[in-house]
Amino acid sequence: MIAALTMAFGTTTLLSGVDLAIVATLREAGQVSWAAVVVVVLGVSSVIGGLTYGALTRPLPTWLLLGLLGLVTIPAGLARDWPWLCVAVVGSGLLTAPTLGRVADAVSRLAPPEVRGEAIGLQSSAQSAGFALGAPLVGVAIDLSVPAGGFAAAGLAGLTAAVTGYLLARRSPARTAVLHHPGPADLGY
């Protein structure tokens, strides 16, 4: 559960950081008025990613989705104006809904039915903390460098949470039990 909550935190840290990095990039280019268009492209690509991922017969592990989300976020910092930024955020968008969905699925599967409400509350708290931390973290990176540093910081936060979640999941007793008793209870780490 700690692995899943870590990845929930990392996902929203990345996403709130991306929002700030988008605005900073467009501000530097004198194109802040196009921020809504870039955010819509990000949102629409997230919907497409969620629908596509939902059609897959075998889900990918949460840590892999979050790691990929972190990796595709970093190069978005290379965009210098709104049309290129629209193109650059598509990769992040395609992985956003699948990652958020997979985190929710992992928490739901890990929690016994009698404490599922508490587990979902913990997930919500982890995600809220990620949203609260992401913007200041990326803001510092932008202040110390350039807007591209914001995308790098957001992506690295996602990568760090993915690796941490993966390592925690590998050491989990629940994971060991699943490995010794294979069945339909794939926890999806």
Side-chain angles (χ1 to χ4, degrees), residues 41-43 45-50 69 72 89-98:
V41 169
L42 181 65
S45 59
S46 178
V47 170
I48 292 167
L69 178 57
V72 301
V89 299
V90 168
S92 297
L94 290 173
L95 291 164
T96 295

Side-chain angles (χ1 to χ4, degrees), residues 35-93:
V37 173
V38 177
V39 172
V40 166
V41 169
L42 181 65
V44 169
S45 59
S46 178
V47 170
I48 292 167
L51 292 172
T52 303
Y53 185 76
L56 296 178
T57 56
R58 184 169 177 183
L60 297 173
T62 309
W63 64 267
L64 180 59
L65 286 168
L66 179 53
L68 291 171
L69 178 57
L71 284 174
V72 301
T73 297
I74 294 169
L78 298 174
R80 296 287 174 239
D81 58 12
W82 75 268
W84 282 111
L85 195 53
C86 285
V87 172
V89 299
V90 168
S92 297

Side-chain angles (χ1 to χ4, degrees), residues 4-147:
L5 295 175
T6 298
M7 290 183 280
F9 172 80
T11 302
T12 54
T13 300
L14 182 151
L15 294 175
S16 68
V18 165
D19 288 345
L20 185 62
I22 287 170
V23 172
T25 298
L26 294 175
R27 184 177 190 199
E28 184 175 80
Q31 301 173 342
V32 175
S33 61
W34 291 96
V37 173
V38 177
V39 172
V40 166
V41 169
L42 181 65
V44 169
S45 59
S46 178
V47 170
I48 292 167
L51 292 172
T52 303
Y53 185 76
L56 296 178
T57 56
R58 184 169 177 183
L60 297 173
T62 309
W63 64 267
L64 180 59
L65 286 168
L66 179 53
L68 291 171
L69 178 57
L71 284 174
V72 301
T73 297
I74 294 169
L78 298 174
R80 296 287 174 239
D81 58 12
W82 75 268
W84 282 111
L85 195 53
C86 285
V87 172
V89 299
V90 168
S92 297
L94 290 173
L95 291 164
T96 295
T99 304
L100 288 169
R102 195 68 179 132
V103 164
D105 183 57
V107 169
S108 178
R109 287 178 186 262
L110 287 167
E114 60 273 8
V115 294
R116 194 161 288 144
E118 292 173 46
I120 291 170
L122 287 171
Q123 174 195 346
S124 178
S125 294
Q127 289 176 315
S128 294
F131 276 124
L133 181 65
L137 174 76
V138 168
V140 167
I142 291 168
D143 288 345
L144 294 175
S145 61
V146 294

